[in-house]
Structure formats: C-alpha cells, structure tokens
Amino acid sequence: MAANRTAKKGDWHTINMPVKNKIVPLNVGFTDKKMKKIKLGFIPEEMEEKWFIYYDEEDESLYLHRSWTGFCVFIVKFKKIDSGYAAVSAVVNDEAEQYKCSGDMENEKRVCLSVIGATLLGEYGDVGSPLEAWSLLGQHSITPNTN
C-alpha cells in the first residue's frame, strides 16, 4: 500500500456502484485485529495490483474497486459485534459492461471474501486455479500483503 497509510475514496479514480446490482449475504466474522487491517484498505502501486479498496467509517462499508477501471465491484456492509465485526452482506455489481457477475451468489461470496483475504489480510482461501487467481487478485495471488 502506498506510504502505509489508510486508503480514502479520493486516493483513486472511482466509479460508484451501478443501480443494477445484487445483494449477497455474507455473515462472516472478523476479529478486531483483522478489522484494523481491513479498515486500512489498499492503494495499488503497480499494474499487477488489481484492486483499490477503502473503508468508509460513516456507512461502515468496505468498497472494492477494480484499479484499472475504477468500477465498484463490491460494497461490503459491516457491523460491530461482541467478538469483533461481522461482514453482513455485499452489494455486487451486476452491470455486464463493468463486471461479469456470475449469478451464483455463493461464488460471488467466495470471490469477495478472497479479495479481502488475499489483498488486505494476506490470507488465501479458495481462489481457484492459478490463472483464475491471477485474473482476480493479480500480484496478490502470489505475493502476500505484508501490512
């Protein structure tokens, strides 16, 4: 991440989530320690880093944009719980000109959580084949984030 600072919306050219979208239930918990890393977001520094990610404290949401286009692909809604935070749901871009939403909400959940895990937490789950991982995560498919 650029200069080890917290990413903000204005740090990158972004395009808002289109009206055509879908909601995916997530219901995944994160510890306070992991949430601290998530809230830092991510500012790409090279072409192979495919995501720009920032957290908005006001609406308790994490915004995941493709770095090349600025298209918003996911907006993850969080809420504070006793044991940390819960990622409650994700809004998924369903505008075919911007993102190829699979229509399979379990797959979209996997993709969203894989981007968060690999890019922000240095954790690798089920990201598919090496080619799929590179397409989705770019440099983060092979190099963990060391924040």
Side-chain angles (χ1 to χ4, degrees), residues 70 112 120:
C112 179
L120 301 179

Side-chain angles (χ1 to χ4, degrees), residues 36-136:
K36 187 175 181 181
K37 288 183 178 181
I38 289 170
K39 286 182 175 185
L40 287 175
F42 183 80
I43 303 169
E45 293 182 327
E46 55 190 61
M47 230 168 129
E48 292 82 8
E49 296 173 328
K50 297 191 175 195
W51 295 93
F52 167 66
I53 303 170
Y54 70 92
Y55 187 83
D56 186 314
E57 291 284 351
E58 275 188 40
D59 66 4
E60 297 180 299
S61 297
L62 185 70
Y63 291 78
L64 294 87
H65 293 261
R66 287 305 282 214
S67 61
W68 286 12
T69 62
F71 294 144
C72 186
V73 177
F74 300 105
I75 301 172
V76 179
K77 304 289 185 182
F78 285 88
K79 75 174 184 179
K80 180 76 174 125
I81 58 175
D82 290 339
S83 59
Y85 287 80
V88 178
S89 63
V91 180
V92 182
N93 186 326
D94 195 29
E95 182 58 58
E97 297 294 318
Q98 296 182 10
Y99 175 69
K100 304 293 186 231
C101 180
S102 69
D104 175 349
M105 293 303 103
E106 279 302 310
N107 182 62
E108 294 303 330
K109 176 180 178 177
R110 178 186 64 81
V111 169
C112 179
L113 294 175
S114 293
V115 172
I116 292 169
T119 306
L120 301 179
L121 302 173
E123 300 174 354
Y124 298 85
D126 177 19
V127 292
S129 71
L131 183 58
E132 291 169 319
W134 180 261
S135 175
L136 175 65

